[in-house]
Amino acid sequence: MVERRDGDEVGLMDSSIRTVGGALVSTPLYVLSGIVYAAVTSPAATGTFFFVSIATALVLRPIRGISQTLQKIGSEPGETVGSYLGVALLFAAGYLIVGSGVATVIADTLTRRTVFTEGLLVPVGVYAASLSVSMIVLSLLGAIGYPSAQTWLGGAHLGVQLLLIVIFDAVVASAAELLLVNAGVRLALFVPVGIALGVIPRIPGRHAVTRAWKFAKWSIPDQILDRFSYNMPVFVLGVVGTPAAVGIYEAADRFADFGATISWRLSSPLLTKVSGDAASGNDYDTYLRGAITGGTGVTFVVFGYLLSAHGIVAQIAFAEAQRAFSTTVLIVGGVNILRGFWTLTSHAMEGLGKPSVSFRTKLYGLVVSVPIPALFGAEFGALAGAVGYGVMNLVVFVYVCYYARDVLGYIPVDRQTTLHLLLGGVVGSSLTFGVVAGATRSGLSPTGVAVTAAVACLAGFGGVLLAVSTPTRVAARRVVTMLRGRSGNRA
């Protein structure tokens, strides 16, 4: 175990508060990225970039499975992180070498059957290498006890990337250039951070290889399905639909996914906490319930906002396809309430050493949902993708609840907190509707209306939760204490 590991980062409340802080920086940047890409280039170029980058991320999921193994086992007391870092680096290097050869062989097929073009081969290779580096560095941060730093580092990457794209918009006009900017920022940021962490990779011994394989044999296929399940509509629409359909769906998904993305950010410290506590024989039930209900709460406020402001958002994002964007963003935003819950619950079960459960639930969801965009994507475009995404998440949610009874002994849902979240969502949505109606008549720009409505929705939702929820007040007081402590240290 790394001697300098900061134990308070494994305390879930503090870690989750820090993680949420980073998520509130990185997630809006992620949401805005789709709109920025489309504005700087075009919907078609943006759709091509999304398809290629997401497909590359899917191909690299085995490396993500190994890095997840590094984070899970490295977080356990008594384990040597350097050995599992060695496993991850050796696997990643070999996988990239083999993968580059295979990509060269099948490049012609890709150009004929997908939106992939010949000029993307080299940019994709550079992007793949940079993505592999970022996966390993982020998992290393979690393994040594700093899971919240993962979110802040991701936010820094997105912020610098978008800034460069906006500044150099005259020369960033294609998917290839978007890939190269993304890769350059990743390498410039993650390589120095990885070196600064000071963890020296070691040649793994039999113990490390055996332990890594025991987890990775399920983690690797689970990570493949995890990425495919999340981006399934993009993959299918990229084959049967058009680049524009991919661009509309992905931009809508990024906007509607704000809450589920924050849940996903919280899942990393949750996995680390559950893994470390289970290995030490400590209780983790309170943390588990708090993270799942609190993390899922953000999805309620996002959906409440979209119910009343989806028309304004569509007008800003895709003025030429407002109806398609608006319908897609509503479907995805609603179903992400389920996704936020099952993402956190699945990661908790992974922390208990059960990645096989996560793999099975996603497999069941994909079997049912893939035919929907495959059969109807050519005619209905992004809408077919959204319906398929909704069906998949419903199936996964049901099976996660089923398996949670066996692995955790219960379904980790606090019914009272769920009612509080529903009430907050209703109040937030009502305020949003009033602000949109009033601000639109006042002549405020669509962007101004959207921002003002978002502030009103957050204020209404947060006000309700502070009034009726004791856990919310406890978390709020802890945030104030942490901020005062930081201000005192600066003084």
Side-chain angles (χ1 to χ4, degrees):
M1 180 58 64
V2 177
E3 292 297 329
R4 68 183 184 286
R5 174 172 174 160
D6 185 352
D8 102 314
E9 269 286 3
V10 189
L12 190 64
M13 177 173 283
D14 285 7
S15 183
S16 295
I17 289 171
R18 295 187 182 112
T19 301
V20 169
L24 292 176
V25 173
S26 61
T27 305
L29 293 173
Y30 175 80
V31 170
L32 290 172
S33 62
I35 298 173
V36 171
Y37 297 159
V40 170
T41 59
S42 67
T46 300
T48 300
F49 168 77
F50 282 144
F51 177 79
V52 173
S53 62
I54 291 170
T56 303
L58 174 64
V59 173
L60 296 179
R61 289 315 271 185
I63 295 177
R64 180 70 181 107
I66 289 294
S67 70
Q68 190 87 327
T69 303
L70 163 66
Q71 178 168 336
K72 192 274 183 247
I73 303 178
S75 67
E76 297 179 5
E79 291 291 351
T80 303
V81 179
S83 297
Y84 298 99
L85 177 58
V87 171
L89 289 173
L90 289 172
F91 181 89
Y95 188 85
L96 287 172
I97 291 171
V98 173
S100 61
V102 172
T104 302
V105 172
I106 66 172
D108 183 61
T109 302
L110 289 174
T111 58
R112 286 187 288 105
R113 297 190 177 183
T114 71
V115 299
F116 191 97
T117 62
E118 186 176 350
L120 292 173
L121 187 60
V122 172
V124 166
V126 178
Y127 177 81
S130 70
L131 186 57
S132 301
V133 170
S134 65
M135 288 177 186
I136 293 173
V137 172
L138 289 173
S139 291
L140 181 60
L141 278 168
I144 65 174
Y146 301 98
S148 66
Q150 296 170 323
T151 304
W152 287 98
L153 191 58
H157 158 246
L158 280 170
V160 174
Q161 174 187 310
L162 291 179
L163 181 62
L164 289 176
I165 289 173
V166 171
I167 292 175
F168 299 104
D169 63 322
V171 295
V172 180
S174 68
E177 287 151 358
L178 287 173
L179 287 167
L180 290 174
V181 170
N182 190 306
V185 174
R186 283 182 187 274
L187 291 173
L189 181 63
F190 286 94
V191 171
V193 169
I195 294 173
L197 292 177
V199 180
I200 300 173
R202 301 183 181 183
I203 300 298
R206 176 176 295 182
H207 169 75
V209 172
T210 301
R211 283 228 60 199
W213 171 245
K214 184 177 180 181
F215 187 84
K217 68 181 180 182
W218 284 108
S219 179
I220 289 175
D222 173 60
Q223 287 300 317
I224 294 172
L225 286 191
D226 181 73
R227 175 55 58 179
F228 188 80
S229 68
Y230 180 69
N231 294 121
M232 178 272 293
V234 172
F235 294 128
V236 179
L237 291 175
V239 175
V240 305
T242 64
V246 175
I248 292 170
Y249 174 84
E250 182 62 13
D253 177 65
R254 290 193 174 208
F255 196 97
D257 205 33
F258 187 99
T261 298
I262 290 183
S263 295
W264 177 72
R265 303 290 187 190
L266 286 171
S267 68
S268 182
L270 178 62
L271 185 152
T272 303
K273 175 64 177 176
V274 171
S275 174
D277 276 356
S280 303
N282 298 328
D283 178 66
Y284 53 82
D285 176 71
T286 302
Y287 296 108
L288 175 62
R289 290 179 182 272
I292 289 177
T293 53
T296 306
V298 190
T299 62
F300 282 81
V301 68
V302 171
F303 184 56
Y305 174 78
L306 290 173
L307 280 174
S308 298
H310 61 88
I312 291 294
V313 175
Q315 185 178 344
I316 297 170
F318 278 94
E320 71 279 13
Q322 290 187 44
R323 185 174 182 181
F325 181 91
S326 185
T327 306
T328 300
V329 83
L330 274 176
I331 295 174
V332 175
V335 80
N336 272 338
I337 292 175
L338 303 182
R339 186 175 190 96
F341 170 82
W342 72 250
T343 296
L344 288 159
T345 306
S346 293
H347 276 75
M349 291 190 284
E350 284 189 52
L352 294 175
K354 298 289 185 180
S356 58
V357 169
S358 185
F359 170 80
R360 292 189 184 100
T361 58
K362 292 163 190 166
L363 179 62
Y364 302 151
L366 286 170
V367 168
V368 174
S369 63
V370 168
I372 296 173
L375 293 174
F376 302 106
E379 182 177 357
F380 295 101
L383 180 59
V387 173
Y389 179 81
V391 170
M392 178 192 66
N393 278 277
L394 179 60
V395 172
V396 174
F397 171 79
V398 170
Y399 275 105
V400 164
C401 292
Y402 171 78
Y403 282 113
R405 290 186 180 277
D406 291 332
V407 177
L408 302 173
Y410 56 90
I411 299 175
V413 175
D414 185 325
R415 294 183 180 179
Q416 184 178 36
T417 302
T418 302
L419 291 174
H420 292 164
L421 295 174
L422 284 170
L423 178 61
V426 170
V427 172
S429 182
S430 300
L431 287 175
T432 301
F433 180 81
V435 168
V436 169
T440 301
R441 286 195 295 268
S442 70
L444 193 64
S445 69
T447 301
V449 173
V451 172
T452 304
V455 172
C457 186
L458 285 171
F461 182 83
V464 169
L465 266 291
L466 286 171
V468 303
S469 172
T470 299
T472 300
R473 291 193 293 271
V474 170
R477 285 194 292 268
R478 181 57 186 160
V479 170
V480 172
T481 300
M482 292 171 67
L483 291 174
R484 285 177 176 172
R486 180 170 295 181
S487 299
N489 291 336
R490 288 176 179 172

